[in-house]
Amino acid sequence: MAPDLSPAALRAALEWQLESGVDTAVEAHPVNRYALPERMPAPARPEAPTAEPAAPAVQERRDPVTEAERMAAAADSLPALRDAMAAYPWCDLRLGARNLVFSDGNPEARVMIVGEAPGREEDRQGKPFVGQAGQLLDRMLAAIDMARGAEDPARAVYITNVLPWRPPSNRDPEPGEVAMMLPFLRRHVALAAPEIVVCMGNHACGAMLGRKGITRLRGQWTEGFGLPVLPMLHPAYLLRQPLAKRDAWADLLALRARLGG
Ligand code: URA
């Protein structure tokens, strides 16, 4: 039998679980949160004009990537794209996330940064790169006189992620998740129309460039979604490997030089 706990003790126990990374309540019956819906409801059909027996409703199987492409293409502004992503039902990461993390910074910025996926703090605040790695990113940007909050598009950055929802326990994004969210990322970049994209880390490079191997790719200008792309080491990696900050500094200077000055 459960011990008789005071509300304060229950609250402390819950907080302890949250601190330990628990983010999903276990229910009495198992729920497969990764099962994709097999079928969508059939659209309403007009009455058949003849007396023939009505054909059974056609229930087509919808492809999540095609649906994402359709919904992304229909979005004609950043707020509309955000709404479309919030309404997209196929990615089950949404079920375990507190918030959809769409973007931060100045959408007019010349530079757009693409990261991997929200972590715990990003999920909590609904903004990308606000945890420890995000704080390091802000310091890195400040070192080349840039800031996500800057009003001047020449000094500003605009930030998003490949995935808008936090993967459970910060696991790596799965290929199926990346594939279904990629049309939204492509549209996001098209609508923001930056001059340069910085791909932060391996997963962003995998999604945007179709290539991984960030330690080889970093610092090499390339092209993605029709724009110049600079792959860089992810700030979370730099927190674990401080010696790699030398390489990150070289890449920041390359970005600064490309922007002029
Ligand atoms: N890492 C990312 O790639 N994105 C975030 O928003 C936070 C951490």
Side-chain angles (χ1 to χ4, degrees):
M1 213 168 93
D4 217 0
L5 293 176
S6 68
L10 284 170
R11 188 187 169 86
L14 257 182
E15 280 171 355
W16 177 80
Q17 291 190 26
L18 280 174
E19 287 305 316
S20 316
V22 174
D23 50 16
T24 309
V26 176
E27 295 160 30
H29 301 287
V31 178
N32 182 359
R33 297 184 191 280
Y34 293 93
L36 289 176
E38 278 286 298
R39 292 170 189 280
M40 299 285 277
R45 309 178 113 223
E47 282 291 308
T50 68
E52 283 174 22
V58 176
Q59 295 194 332
E60 70 197 89
R61 197 183 279 266
R62 297 199 188 175
D63 169 39
V65 176
T66 311
E67 287 299 291
E69 282 165 354
R70 185 184 61 75
M71 291 172 75
D76 58 3
S77 65
L78 293 171
L81 184 68
R82 189 188 192 290
D83 290 348
M85 289 165 76
Y88 181 72
W90 302 90
C91 183
D92 283 348
L93 288 177
R94 58 181 290 143
L95 301 177
R98 291 188 195 193
N99 281 301
L100 177 138
V101 176
F102 183 68
S103 69
D104 195 22
N106 183 346
E108 305 290 321
R110 293 174 68 192
V111 176
M112 182 165 180
I113 293 177
V114 177
E116 173 184 329
R120 182 151 164 260
E121 204 46 43
E122 289 77 19
D123 181 43
R124 202 177 270 198
Q125 296 189 32
K127 281 187 187 177
F129 282 102
V130 289
Q132 263 198 311
Q135 288 159 24
L136 175 56
L137 174 62
D138 285 341
R139 293 198 295 276
M140 289 161 63
L141 293 170
I144 53 166
D145 194 29
M146 298 190 80
R148 70 172 92 187
E151 275 181 27
D152 177 3
R155 291 191 52 239
V157 294
Y158 182 59
I159 308 178
T160 192
N161 280 311
V162 174
L163 297 181
W165 295 289
R166 180 194 182 198
S169 310
N170 295 347
R171 66 154 169 74
D172 284 349
E174 287 177 357
E177 292 160 354
V178 173
M180 65 176 86
M181 297 317 293
L182 197 58
F184 293 107
L185 177 65
R186 191 184 294 276
R187 187 76 183 134
H188 202 157
V189 173
L191 288 168
E195 281 173 40
I196 289 171
V197 176
V198 174
C199 268
M200 282 293 179
N202 226 8
H203 292 285
C205 289
M208 251 196 97
L209 310 174
R211 276 183 289 157
K212 284 190 174 171
I214 187 63
T215 46
R216 268 177 294 112
L217 292 172
R218 62 142 282 271
Q220 310 290 324
W221 286 95
T222 182
E223 206 188 280
F225 297 174
L227 291 169
V229 172
L230 180 64
M232 281 189 63
L233 296 170
H234 195 288
Y237 175 82
L238 299 176
L239 288 172
R240 294 191 303 272
Q241 304 285 341
L243 282 182
K245 285 182 183 169
R246 258 193 319 225
D247 292 335
W249 178 236
D251 299 345
L252 286 168
L253 291 179
L255 175 64
R256 181 75 271 170
R258 181 94 175 212
L259 289 166

